[in-house]
Amino acid sequence: MPRVTYISQDEKATTLDIDIGTSVMQAAVLHGVDGIVAECGGSCMCATCHVYVREDMLALCPPMEADEDAMLEGTASPRLPNSRLSCQLVATAQMDGLVVRLPETQT
Amino acid sequence: MAQEPIVILGAGHAGFQLAASLRQHGFEGAVTLVGDEAGLPYQRPPLSKDYLDGKIGLDLLLMRPDAFYHDHRIDYLAATRAEEIDRARKTVRLASGERLHYRHLVLATGARNRVPPLPGIELDGVCYLRTLAETDLLRDRLHAADNIVVIGAGFIGLEFAAVARAHGKNVHIVELTDRAMGRVVSVTTSRFFAEAHARTGVEFGFGAQAARIGGRVTSPMGGRVDHVELANGDKLPADLVLVSIGVVPNGELAAAAGLEVANGIVVDGELATGDINISAIGDCAVFPCDHAAGHMTRLEAVQNAADHARCIADRLVGKAHPYSALPWFWSEQGKLRLQIAGLTQGHDRTALRGATESGEFSVFCYRGETLLGVESINRPADHAHVRRLLAAGRQVSPDEAADLSFDLRAAATARPA
């Protein structure tokens, strides 16, 4: 099971074992990690599950589709080169060790 | 003495979000969340899509796991119905007879299915799609069905039709008006969606009225649906009927307590009712909307529910502000993704960005020169930019909107209001 670490605004780290096929967003919601809103439930419609992936780990993530790229234009916190929507980060074996930082605000 | 709790009636998107936001904002007092359905609060949008289709289970449908309520000291009462509000005593009487005292009461009572007064409406096989229980029943029936009639071509009816067609079922949609999603989208978008569904084999009857649901007797207790008879005498075979003709806001508790109810519970610009100790949010609330020229507006949308909840949470922790969030909506129908930013009702002209034939376009809806809102079909970047643009009170002209070389992103972020 890949392990993913979420770092909140107040530097609190939460590490979760994620089932392969589950998204980084879904795992956060399932385990009550605050800081991910996911208003649309994971349909890539709302841009409220925004995370910053640690720069040296971007290659661990699945490539970005056009829809995600588009919706990242509407995030409440600034879009950075390492911005992703966590509903699109579906866990794979090679994602083990991923670290994501939660933005200041999702709405 | 401990203060009375904030009591939230209704555990849908609005009620849940309010409880969660109060804790997020550091509210320390007691919070009681009352829901009339069994089980934990869940998300409704996936019901008509991934959940109905079996792509996600109950665990991923839940707003949060059980431990969340304990960890955040949210006292959640499931399967609990409120019967009466006593404003003088600041109590709510539950069906059990128990009384909950409140320091502030928030009505997040949502809406219920509109049920047409048709003969045969009580037959087995007549289904709805709003609650989890209704969806579980519908999902079982869907697998066994061959011929499906959908009454009402709104978001829910069309989303369900797309899933049912993908399962190879015969689907016939009966719509009283002359077009699909007529209450919420432009003629261009309406026509595009109807044609797209028709290409997958969905049959439409526009301007068609269901007159009777016919059944055959299966037991002394009643019968099963067998067909839908239209006002013109046509009979459509059906072993499953989905009724999706909209909802009615749940305003009865408020009205019985003497609060103003007019197509929803009437609230002011800060979402307060006429009683300073009672607010209303989400589908049940009708409020003066900044993005509808201040007109009293009631919206049925996750965004509206969640943003209303956050506005009230701010007020209850002493940071009151007028509600001003931009409304937005979405629908997924098969491969088609519809995203709407702003309120387009009452538009008198449109500008098309992209070509409908390409299946990727946006319809910019104007009243006079004022951009009211934009419908984006498989063009999520337009939607993201327009949300930012409208929220900031910016505008683009119809000519700019229709010009694909016009930089919408720059207009959304850089141009002064």
Side-chain angles (χ1 to χ4, degrees), chain A residues 21-22 25-48 66-79 107, chain B residues 13 17 24 43 45-46 49-50 56 59-60 62-65 68 72 302-303 306-307 310 328 330-332 336-339 378-385 387-388 409:
Chain A
T22 298
M25 176 281 283
Q26 287 169 332
V29 171
L30 278 171
H31 293 90
V33 175
D34 285 337
I36 287 185
V37 174
E39 207 136 279
C40 76
S43 298
C44 202
M45 291 282 186
C46 71
T48 63
D67 279 0
E68 181 187 348
D69 191 20
M71 287 311 295
L72 276 167
E73 294 289 328
T75 54
S77 294
R79 178 180 186 173
T107 57
Chain B
H13 282 265
Q17 186 62 53
Q24 211 174 352
Q43 309 173 69
K49 310 167 192 98
D50 283 357
I56 63 166
D59 57 338
L60 291 177
L62 295 180
M63 295 280 194
R64 291 291 186 275
F68 177 87
H72 290 76
V302 168
Q303 168 277 322
D307 282 333
R310 286 188 274 262
W328 56 268
W330 80 94
S331 176
E332 289 175 277
L336 300 175
R337 293 159 61 82
L338 168 62
Q339 294 168 287
N378 295 346
R379 270 183 83 92
D382 284 1
H383 176 72
H385 296 322
R387 257 163 67 177
R388 188 160 277 195
R409 181 177 201 267

Side-chain angles (χ1 to χ4, degrees), chain B residues 61-414:
Chain B
L61 194 65
L62 295 180
M63 295 280 194
R64 291 291 186 275
D66 203 4
F68 177 87
Y69 300 89
H70 179 261
D71 294 349
H72 290 76
R73 294 185 299 110
I74 295 166
D75 189 11
Y76 172 57
L77 307 179
T80 301
R81 186 168 276 281
E83 298 268 325
E84 189 185 24
I85 301 165
D86 183 336
R87 290 167 52 192
R89 291 194 177 84
K90 293 172 70 178
T91 62
V92 174
R93 181 168 56 81
L94 304 178
S96 64
E98 187 190 347
R99 284 174 197 275
L100 298 177
H101 288 264
Y102 62 82
R103 63 191 276 191
H104 195 88
L105 177 67
V106 181
L107 303 173
T109 49
R112 61 181 180 273
N113 294 310
R114 187 179 293 281
V115 178
L118 293 176
I121 193 75
E122 76 291 348
L123 286 166
D124 188 29
V126 176
C127 293
Y128 301 86
L129 208 181
R130 210 185 66 77
T131 67
L132 177 58
E134 288 167 350
T135 310
D136 284 337
L137 178 66
L138 178 64
R139 189 159 68 170
D140 290 345
R141 292 296 165 81
L142 173 63
H143 292 297
D146 293 317
N147 298 305
I148 298 172
V149 171
V150 175
I151 302 179
F155 279 15
I156 296 291
L158 294 177
E159 288 175 4
F160 172 73
V163 173
R165 262 318 284 158
H167 284 263
K169 312 298 182 182
N170 297 319
V171 180
H172 193 118
I173 303 181
V174 177
E175 169 57 43
L176 189 59
T177 70
D178 62 353
R179 63 192 184 92
M181 303 181 285
R183 197 163 60 95
V184 280
V185 303
S186 67
V187 172
T188 305
T189 298
S190 188
R191 191 171 293 157
F192 174 83
F193 271 83
E195 287 171 4
H197 283 286
R199 274 196 300 277
T200 72
V202 173
E203 291 183 68
F204 284 93
F206 288 111
Q209 185 167 15
R212 197 172 76 84
I213 301 174
R216 51 193 163 72
V217 177
T218 50
S219 83
M221 299 297 288
R224 271 194 62 79
V225 60
D226 175 71
H227 65 272
V228 173
E229 188 176 328
L230 303 182
N232 68 5
D234 284 358
K235 285 186 181 177
L236 307 172
D239 39 24
L240 170 57
V241 174
L242 179 78
V243 178
S244 51
I245 56 168
V247 296
V248 184
N250 292 322
E252 285 77 3
L253 268 182
L259 298 172
E260 187 183 357
V261 176
N263 179 36
I265 302 165
V266 175
V267 294
D268 65 15
E270 291 184 6
L271 310 177
T273 68
D275 181 330
I276 55 161
N277 298 309
I278 305 179
S279 304
I281 57 175
D283 287 19
C284 71
V286 58
F287 65 100
C289 181
D290 282 1
H291 301 277
H295 287 119
M296 293 304 283
T297 302
R298 191 178 67 76
L299 298 172
E300 297 150 13
V302 168
Q303 168 277 322
N304 185 66
D307 282 333
H308 272 184
R310 286 188 274 262
C311 181
I312 296 275
D314 285 343
R315 169 148 56 85
L316 293 176
V317 297
K319 296 175 188 164
H321 58 85
Y323 180 75
S324 63
L326 178 77
W328 56 268
F329 314 86
W330 80 94
S331 176
E332 289 175 277
Q333 301 172 25
K335 289 196 176 77
L336 300 175
R337 293 159 61 82
L338 168 62
Q339 294 168 287
I340 303 173
L343 296 174
T344 59
Q345 282 77 6
H347 69 267
D348 54 23
R349 64 188 290 200
T350 60
L352 186 64
R353 186 172 180 86
T356 54
E357 302 78 44
S358 71
E360 297 176 9
F361 61 94
S362 292
V363 181
F364 285 62
C365 298
Y366 293 84
R367 188 191 296 127
E369 293 299 313
T370 306
L371 179 63
L372 300 179
V374 177
E375 304 156 355
S376 297
I377 291 82
N378 295 346
R379 270 183 83 92
D382 284 1
H383 176 72
H385 296 322
V386 166
R387 257 163 67 177
R388 188 160 277 195
L389 183 108
L390 288 172
R394 298 189 174 109
Q395 290 277 314
V396 292
S397 73
D399 287 345
E400 289 169 335
D403 177 1
L404 280 173
S405 69
F406 176 78
D407 190 343
L408 202 52
R409 181 177 201 267
T413 50

